[in-house]
Amino acid sequence: MNHLAVFVAILIVALLLSILKINISLIVTLIGMTGSIFIVPPLVIASFKRIENQGLDTFYGSHLTYVVIFLLLYLMCDFLFQAVQPVVSSFLPFGY
């Protein structure tokens, strides 16, 4: 079975659990999102068929993918924090 299909199935199950308002849906969603972000890209890189094996290209491609993922997550969290910070600081009595 395709690895991407497994995580899509997990996310569909999480959607059904959230529609049914079952509390475990958040955990299932986090498992599906984490898997799709961190496990699927290296598996896709490793699944490319090459005529010649040229060393550690799959290894370097996987690590470069992880670096890009962490960089994008950092930038998105930083942007989100800057957008939410004025709202949160207005609610805090001691300031921020």
Side-chain angles (χ1 to χ4, degrees):
M1 182 177 222
N2 190 359
H3 298 290
L4 182 60
V6 171
F7 293 110
V8 170
I10 290 172
L11 290 172
I12 290 172
V13 168
L15 177 66
L16 292 174
L17 290 174
S18 67
I19 290 172
L20 296 173
K21 296 183 180 178
I22 298 175
N23 292 336
I24 199 168
S25 66
L26 181 62
I27 296 170
V28 176
T29 303
L30 289 175
I31 291 170
M33 292 298 289
T34 304
S36 65
I37 290 173
F38 292 110
I39 295 175
V40 172
L43 290 175
V44 170
I45 291 171
S47 70
F48 290 136
K49 302 291 184 208
R50 293 189 190 94
I51 307 249
E52 300 176 10
N53 281 337
Q54 296 183 351
L56 298 174
D57 290 337
T58 304
F59 178 77
Y60 290 131
S62 298
H63 283 294
L64 182 63
T65 303
Y66 282 134
V67 168
V68 170
I69 287 171
F70 282 119
L71 180 66
L72 289 175
L73 285 174
Y74 172 76
L75 291 174
M76 289 181 349
C77 290
D78 187 44
F79 176 74
L80 181 65
F81 181 72
Q82 288 178 359
V84 173
Q85 182 183 9
V87 176
V88 172
S89 65
S90 68
F91 288 115
L92 296 176
F94 49 83
Y96 182 75

